[in-house]
Amino acid sequence: MGSDYVTRNLVASTAATAVYTALSADSSGGTPGSVKVPQGRNRITKIIATASAESTVVVDIGNIYVVKLSGKGLPTGDQELIIGSLLSQEDGTSVGITVDSRGSAVIPVSISCSAGNEITISGSYSGTDSGAQNYTVTLEFSTGQGPTANYYTRLDSMGQATATYNAIETTADGATSTISTEKSAKRITRLINAIVLNAAGAVTGANFVVKLSGTGMTEQEISVGSIQYEAGGGTTTDTFVQLYEPNILPVNISITGGNNLNLAAAYVGTDPGTPFIGVTVEVF
């Protein structure tokens, strides 16, 4: 049996950072609003998503895009996932140009859903306001058996010194909150992350590590990515604006459900310019 695909858009959103806005438009000018789970379907198996800046992008900033699924169509509650990021840097004194074309991020998921009920798709971005934003999200609905997962996302600026852990504890709507896992949770199976610079870059490289800790689990440290920044200087400007898909990292970490899960991040190397990190944790 095949799957069903439903898409919603949000165009030229002027919402501030850390504010969720619903994706209510279809791709032919209508505004159907929330998504009704198709009959016979009991899980979402993929999120296919992209985001972009609608207006001239502010330079020397970074954004991380997050999608939230909510509503009566989700028996296990809200789900939040990183879908991508944007990095803007400029070097020099005159005007340059950049063009970037990317395919959508394809994120396999296993989210329980209830046929005939509604799901609202919302988008938010964190970092520095870069102008108006566009979001497009497709949900793949399927029929299956077996356990489903919950998805928790936290983001934070990394203004600390090198080789120093900083808590990642801010939600995509700006609150500070520890992750509290369901009592039935047994395992962390994937980390979905993005790393950007949220200030003018420095000519250097840095590698990033995420630490997971909490009651009922052994502390774990995992390499999640790096940033390399180079700038030639001089009088010719290089304007660099790049969209990125999230990094999807399979893991296998045993936990005891019903406890808090703490995230922290550190980097080694030289400060490349106020890094900003986001991490989604997939918990079965």
Side-chain angles (χ1 to χ4, degrees):
M1 184 178 183
S3 298
D4 292 311
Y5 299 84
V6 183
T7 297
R8 291 291 183 269
N9 303 280
L10 174 63
V11 178
S13 170
T14 57
T17 59
V19 175
Y20 274 116
T21 305
L23 281 65
S24 59
D26 61 22
S27 303
S28 54
T31 53
S34 58
V35 173
K36 181 176 285 189
V37 180
Q39 292 299 322
R41 304 305 189 183
N42 65 355
R43 65 189 60 206
I44 300 168
T45 45
K46 282 192 187 74
I47 294 176
I48 305 168
T50 191
S52 60
E54 171 71 9
S55 55
T56 301
V57 178
V58 178
V59 298
D60 296 336
I61 58 89
N63 294 151
I64 296 177
Y65 296 100
V66 178
V67 161
K68 178 173 71 173
L69 308 181
S70 59
K72 292 183 178 180
L74 297 171
T76 56
D78 294 357
Q79 307 295 328
E80 296 179 296
L81 296 95
I82 291 169
I83 62 165
S85 58
L86 178 147
L87 177 60
S88 169
Q89 291 286 307
E90 186 172 82
D91 175 60
T93 58
S94 63
V95 176
I97 188 171
T98 185
V99 178
D100 185 29
S101 177
R102 292 269 167 174
S104 297
V106 180
I107 306 173
V109 295
S110 182
I111 299 173
S112 177
C113 62
S114 176
N117 288 304
E118 302 285 333
I119 295 174
T120 297
I121 307 172
S122 301
S124 172
Y125 71 105
S126 294
T128 299
D129 191 337
S130 57
Q133 309 295 324
N134 300 322
Y135 301 82
T136 297
V137 176
T138 299
L139 302 182
E140 178 187 76
F141 292 98
S142 303
T143 304
Q145 298 179 343
T148 55
N150 283 293
Y151 297 83
Y152 308 93
T153 296
R154 296 294 184 270
L155 313 100
D156 260 304
S157 179
M158 297 181 63
Q160 76 270 29
T162 61
T164 303
Y165 274 110
N166 186 56
I168 310 172
E169 56 186 1
T170 304
T171 64
D173 55 2
T176 299
S177 173
T178 300
I179 295 170
S180 182
T181 61
E182 297 291 325
K183 289 184 178 181
S184 60
K186 294 180 173 60
R187 197 168 299 277
I188 298 169
T189 48
R190 282 189 303 170
L191 302 180
I192 304 169
N193 74 276
I195 306 164
V196 295
L197 300 180
N198 201 27
V203 179
T204 187
N207 301 336
F208 294 82
V209 177
V210 165
K211 178 170 69 175
L212 301 93
S213 62
T215 304
M217 66 173 293
T218 302
E219 183 176 286
Q220 309 289 340
E221 295 178 296
I222 300 173
S223 170
V224 296
S226 60
I227 286 181
Q228 183 73 47
Y229 183 89
E230 297 291 339
T235 60
T236 301
T237 289
D238 292 318
T239 304
F240 175 86
V241 179
Q242 189 84 53
L243 295 165
Y244 297 93
E245 297 179 19
N247 177 45
I248 301 176
L249 179 64
V251 295
N252 185 11
I253 301 172
S254 295
I255 64 172
T256 301
N259 290 299
N260 289 339
L261 173 62
N262 303 308
L263 303 178
Y267 64 93
V268 295
T270 303
D271 183 354
T274 314
F276 193 84
I277 189 168
V279 179
T280 297
V281 183
E282 178 185 70
V283 181
F284 274 89

